[in-house]
Amino acid sequence: MKNDNLKGQHRINEQIRAKEVRIVGDEVESKVYPIAQALRLAEEHQADLVEISPNAQPPVCRIIDYSKFLYQLKKRQKEQKAKQVKVNVKEIRFGPQTDDHDYNFKLKHAIGFLEDGDKVRAYVFFKGRSILFKEQGEVLLLRFANDLEEYAKVDQMPLLEGKRMTIQLSPKKGVAKKPSKPVVQKVEPSAVAKEEEVE
């Protein structure tokens, strides 16, 4: 059963140990009742007495069908989970002397990631003696951030950690993924005429 992981988290009916409980809900007057009277009320409504706030003084209970209560709880948890936004961080790696073609290719990928709502962490990796070009790496990352200005905001300026210099960017709000345009092939009238002649 789906609700098994929620079962046992709440005391119901005779499991409730308090001498008196506060009952809340639509069908019953919200006030403090002795436990025996609260159980009798639950029985009259053909439902369960469910302890929803055990640490309150006195504990707070509801008169509800326990399986319905678990269903509502599960539904609420599912809605909360759906509202949580997962943010992925995509990494883009450069060398200290990345050429323009490679740079533009990686820039295009970064724009795609940002349009999808992902964060981008770009870094320059310095191998061996290339650490001597750390200024070049910083210039490259700042250029990258500048080229992405309309798509992203900078979370963290270039920072050297060991052999990596990193910059982090987040997508700007309101940057939505652009719908792809259908590809339309242009056909010259002379080509159509030639095909008709062949037939």
Side-chain angles (χ1 to χ4, degrees):
M1 192 177 171
K2 286 181 181 176
N3 293 328
D4 282 348
N5 60 342
L6 294 173
K7 274 190 175 177
Q9 288 186 7
H10 304 91
R11 293 191 194 112
I12 58 168
N13 301 327
E14 284 77 22
Q15 294 173 351
I16 300 168
R17 298 188 196 110
K19 290 180 180 163
E20 52 183 23
V21 294
R22 179 179 302 279
I23 295 182
V24 294
D26 306 326
E27 299 174 17
V28 183
E29 186 185 343
S30 295
K31 66 176 193 174
V32 177
Y33 293 90
I35 189 68
Q37 190 181 349
L39 286 167
R40 218 173 14 257
L41 275 169
E43 205 173 297
E44 285 171 17
H45 285 87
Q46 295 180 341
D48 299 301
L49 184 67
V50 182
E51 189 178 55
I52 55 173
S53 185
N55 298 329
Q57 286 300 326
V60 179
C61 296
R62 274 182 75 186
I63 293 176
I64 189 170
D65 180 13
Y66 188 52
S67 56
K68 184 181 175 184
F69 173 74
L70 288 177
Y71 171 76
Q72 288 174 349
L73 207 62
K74 186 91 173 168
K75 191 176 173 186
R76 209 173 304 130
Q77 285 178 349
K78 205 173 183 179
E79 285 170 2
Q80 286 173 347
K81 197 173 182 181
K83 286 178 187 174
Q84 289 176 346
V85 179
K86 289 183 181 176
V87 177
N88 294 323
V89 178
K90 303 285 188 176
E91 288 198 341
I92 294 180
R93 175 181 166 158
F94 292 102
Q97 295 169 336
T98 302
D99 66 355
D100 283 344
H101 172 73
D102 206 19
Y103 174 83
N104 291 330
F105 180 76
K106 291 178 180 188
L107 184 70
K108 198 166 86 174
H109 274 287
I111 290 169
F113 294 147
L114 291 163
E115 285 178 338
D116 289 341
D118 297 324
K119 288 188 175 192
V120 173
R121 181 182 299 130
Y123 66 93
V124 178
F125 187 75
F126 300 99
K127 277 193 224 165
R129 295 181 64 182
S130 67
I131 196 79
L132 300 170
F133 300 107
K134 63 182 177 212
E135 290 81 20
Q136 232 175 318
E138 188 174 359
V139 168
L140 180 76
L141 291 177
L142 290 171
R143 174 185 166 200
F144 186 68
N146 192 46
D147 289 345
L148 291 171
E149 195 174 15
E150 64 180 273
Y151 300 97
K153 62 180 190 289
V154 178
D155 291 343
Q156 172 199 308
M157 290 304 278
L159 181 72
L160 185 66
E161 298 165 337
K163 292 186 172 194
R164 283 169 64 142
M165 184 176 282
T166 313
I167 191 168
Q168 185 149 326
L169 308 158
S170 310
K172 278 187 176 174
K173 287 195 163 89
V175 175
K177 185 144 178 83
K178 295 169 190 146
S180 57
K181 294 177 184 171
V183 178
V184 180
Q185 290 182 331
K186 288 186 179 177
V187 179
E188 291 181 29
S190 59
V192 175
K194 281 179 187 172
E195 278 181 27
E196 285 172 1
E197 284 172 19
V198 171
E199 289 173 3

